[in-house]
Amino acid sequence: MNPAVHDQAATADRPATADRAAGLSADRAALLRRLRAQRAAAGPRPDHQAVPMRPGGGPVTLVLVHPAGGELFCYTPLVRALTTGIGVIGFPADPADLDLPVTSRLPEVAARTLRGLAEATDPGRCVLAGWSYGGAVAFEMARQHTEATGARPPVVLLDCVYYGDVELETETRLRRRFVYDVARLAGRDHDTVRTALKTAERACGGALDLSVLLAAADVRLDLTEAEIFARYATFRACSLSLQAYRPPTPYPGPVTLAMAGQAPGIGERWRAVSAGPFDVAVLPGDHYTLFLPPTLPEVAALIEAAVTGARDTAAPAHQER
């Protein structure tokens, strides 16, 4: 990691300490202290727990890891589009991960999720997939599982960016991207959202208050201020840890990268850390239309192909049991 990334990572890690509230307003700092107190009062938490999303009867389970927003709702159209018989489980964000240091957060989240997956099923009989941040966690889960057991579960990266050597984003850009992400997931058009955010920023002199930006993007969340801030904190931690992620070793198992459009350098960077079979599918639309027609059937077909490949490999062992 270059010095600039290291310095910014150290700054980003500061929220894990009492200094985390230093750059926040008094109200936001109070909310953060309240969230930390609630987590401390809850006591130790177990490893991530799987959420059943659809039952299945086959030997292979599809595992979906949450994107930076932390929720699994975005996968609902994909789960419904899959052929019958494919069991699906998911892993939403765990608030216990919020205070992990940025530079080690993604590998630790992957390790905890992998342990949670092992409580539910054999990770070696799964297809590990994720959209955006979730794809990188799925990749790291597979890499760690191979190191521990030798098994090589297929990985499907759904428009997941592997940054390489970059500087971490500023707080201003993270807040802007959070609101853009929420607005696009709510169905807002790209150009409309971008224009609204730029207008709001000019009107408030560049002070990016989340409530102001959400209102400008015409997003109405049925959440309290504390809940909105908690959701932003998850988005922030996921985004920064993805930017800081560097796969320690290449993954020797099968990897499929589904890219929305031609993103320069993304395929090459993932290929460089994928030592096994590596396929790239370029899909129409953008990052927020993967789970909408006409792209959705293509995404479902990629997932189903990965499940079929894993099923063919797992079938003999499954039949012997």
Side-chain angles (χ1 to χ4, degrees):
M1 181 181 298
N2 67 31
V5 173
H6 184 273
D7 290 345
Q8 291 201 35
T11 301
D13 285 355
R14 198 179 302 149
T17 72
D19 292 336
R20 179 172 186 176
L24 303 176
S25 68
D27 290 342
R28 295 264 192 271
L31 287 174
L32 179 58
R33 287 193 293 272
R34 191 185 314 161
L35 289 171
R36 287 174 62 89
Q38 290 172 349
R39 288 199 301 274
R45 298 176 62 93
D47 288 321
H48 296 196
Q49 297 187 6
V51 175
M53 299 183 71
R54 193 175 82 165
V60 176
T61 300
L62 172 64
V63 179
L64 297 173
V65 184
H66 69 87
E71 306 290 342
L72 296 173
F73 299 114
C74 59
Y75 294 123
T76 299
L78 173 61
V79 173
R80 290 174 176 169
L82 296 172
T83 57
T84 57
I86 299 178
V88 185
I89 61 177
F91 286 91
D94 190 327
D97 295 333
L98 199 57
D99 286 333
L100 292 173
V102 166
T103 50
S104 60
R105 183 183 193 276
L106 194 148
E108 179 58 26
V109 169
R112 294 191 62 210
T113 306
L114 187 58
R115 291 194 292 268
L117 176 59
E119 292 292 324
T121 188
D122 178 3
R125 297 177 182 271
C126 293
V127 170
L128 307 179
W131 176 45
S132 190
Y133 166 85
V137 176
F139 181 90
E140 178 61 20
M141 288 170 64
R143 195 196 65 76
Q144 291 182 18
H145 187 64
T146 297
E147 283 191 344
T149 69
R152 301 177 179 183
V155 176
V156 181
L157 307 170
L158 299 175
D159 208 39
C160 176
V161 173
Y162 165 47
Y163 287 86
D165 199 16
V166 298
E167 294 185 355
L168 302 185
E169 288 181 322
T170 64
E171 189 71 18
T172 296
R173 179 164 174 76
L174 284 166
R175 287 177 178 243
R176 184 188 300 122
R177 279 211 304 114
F178 169 73
V179 174
Y180 179 85
D181 187 75
V182 172
R184 290 299 308 276
L185 287 173
R188 304 290 187 270
D189 174 74
H190 165 79
D191 291 334
T192 301
V193 175
R194 291 291 295 273
T195 300
L197 292 179
K198 288 181 179 178
T199 300
E201 290 173 29
R202 286 195 297 267
C204 64
L208 301 184
D209 184 270
L210 289 178
S211 59
V212 172
L213 292 179
L214 287 168
D218 195 26
V219 176
R220 303 289 184 267
L221 298 178
D222 188 19
L223 300 171
T224 65
E225 186 178 4
E227 289 169 334
I228 292 174
F229 184 72
R231 182 170 293 188
Y232 168 69
T234 296
F235 178 89
R236 179 186 186 278
C238 291
S239 296
L240 290 175
S241 63
L242 176 58
Q243 293 162 31
Y245 176 56
R246 310 287 184 270
T249 59
Y251 176 56
V255 175
T256 299
L257 171 63
M259 295 194 305
Q262 294 281 3
I266 301 303
E268 290 78 2
R269 286 197 286 274
W270 278 116
R271 187 184 298 274
V273 294
S274 300
F278 184 84
D279 294 314
V280 178
V282 179
L283 305 176
D286 67 16
H287 188 65
Y288 294 94
T289 62
L290 287 186
F291 307 128
L292 298 173
T295 311
L296 176 60
E298 297 187 47
V299 175
L302 291 173
I303 294 287
E304 290 167 1
V307 170
T308 298
R311 183 183 296 148
D312 292 343
T313 302
H318 179 70
Q319 292 168 359
E320 291 170 3
R321 296 181 68 183

